[in-house]
Amino acid sequence: MSAAPAGRAPDTGGIRLSDLVRAELTKICTLPATWAALALALTGHTLVGLLAASDAVHVAGPDGQTPIARLGVVLLAPVYALVAVPVLAAGGEYRGGQIRVSLLAVPDRNRFFLSKLLAILAVLAVAALPVMLPGHLLRHALGDTGAGVGEAVGGALAEAAACLPLGLVAYGFAVLARTVVVPLAVLVVLPVLVSPMLRGLSPGVVRLLPHEAMLSLLGLPEGPDVALDRPGALLVVATWAAVLVGAAWTVTVRRNGQRARGRGRPSSTGRVR
């Protein structure tokens, strides 16, 4: 077998997409931060389920003391630990120049991005239900909801499905930001601080934010002024996911691809830049 010419990226045309997806899955599953995020999401959702079932904790608001079971933003707070997984997978590539190595190993930038996207979706699809189900079962088993196990499982399935577009929003944002800290900070600050401040000024804008649309999709809006019907909420969340993933895909193909090719060109002295 002849060696590849110096300065040229290896040809991965013969590598199947499934092999690239498997490599990305291995990369994600070997990150300690991935398991820490999943453990935090599971623990947080279970704890919130217990607190909501006991009705022992109330949160002060403009309408008085509100039980946790009626606060969608609190019930779904652990979801943001779960969607941290795609943020860590994307943003972590830019630490220590790992993205340059990855792009040189896979010259086809479209296949590279698609393999990462499919791996992220696979991780979220597999992990979401086990993370969400215990909290739902506890809330329905210990609380006075009048719902059976089937409804609890259905609620967990709906919440797990909603994690997929929200995870795509987080993933696209992390690729565009090229870091872990900024997307995670925005994902936390947006529902906790920004939405309450903007709600009184412009509820029409607040209802179009991804987390508010997801609350409406799950039937847990923060109020009628920011509520959307479920088809409208699904359209809003899907649009956010499509726009951010599309922008991230474009950036990966153009910006990162041009940088990798620039570093791989031999200079006049014969050295690879």
Side-chain angles (χ1 to χ4, degrees):
M1 181 180 295
S2 59
R8 291 188 184 178
D11 182 12
T12 58
I15 300 179
R16 296 173 300 180
L17 180 62
S18 59
D19 294 330
L20 295 177
V21 174
R22 192 176 300 112
E24 292 297 333
L25 285 172
T26 301
K27 190 186 302 182
I28 294 171
C29 293
T30 53
L31 282 173
T34 296
W35 297 102
L38 292 177
L40 180 61
L42 175 60
T43 303
H45 204 273
T46 303
L47 179 60
V48 168
L50 282 171
L51 294 175
S54 66
D55 200 25
V57 179
H58 292 66
V59 177
D63 300 325
Q65 298 288 327
T66 305
I68 285 180
R70 296 182 188 174
L71 293 175
V73 69
V74 176
L75 291 176
L76 297 181
V79 169
Y80 291 96
L82 179 61
V83 300
V85 173
V87 174
L88 294 166
E93 287 272 13
Y94 292 91
R95 289 199 304 264
Q98 176 63 39
I99 187 65
R100 295 195 297 270
V101 177
S102 299
L103 289 172
L104 287 173
V106 186
D108 189 334
R109 309 310 186 221
N110 289 299
R111 279 161 56 90
F112 169 76
F113 189 88
L114 180 58
S115 64
K116 293 185 75 67
L117 184 62
L118 292 175
I120 289 296
L121 285 172
V123 170
L124 290 175
V126 170
L129 184 58
V131 166
M132 302 300 166
L133 188 57
H136 275 275
L137 291 177
L138 285 171
R139 196 191 319 164
H140 286 74
L142 302 178
D144 187 18
T145 62
V149 175
E151 188 171 342
V153 174
L157 284 171
E159 196 169 312
C163 288
L164 296 180
L166 191 61
L168 292 180
V169 169
Y171 175 65
F173 188 18
V175 173
L176 294 173
R178 294 187 292 169
T179 182
V180 171
V181 177
V182 173
L184 290 180
V186 171
L187 285 173
V188 173
V189 169
L190 201 60
V192 175
L193 295 178
V194 177
S195 286
M197 288 190 298
L198 288 179
R199 183 177 170 183
L201 299 174
S202 183
V205 172
V206 172
R207 73 179 63 172
L208 297 179
L209 295 175
H211 68 279
E212 291 289 348
M214 189 182 74
L215 290 175
S216 294
L217 181 61
L218 296 173
L220 297 169
E222 289 297 288
D225 55 335
V226 293
L228 293 169
D229 56 52
R230 282 187 170 145
L234 178 60
L235 177 62
V236 169
V237 177
T239 300
W240 274 103
V243 168
L244 285 173
V245 169
W249 197 320
T250 301
V251 164
T252 299
V253 171
R254 294 187 177 179
R255 179 184 67 193
N256 292 331
Q258 290 170 355
R259 289 184 179 183
R261 286 193 295 270
R263 287 186 177 91
R265 274 200 316 268
S267 65
S268 59
T269 60
R271 295 181 179 179
V272 178
R273 291 184 290 181

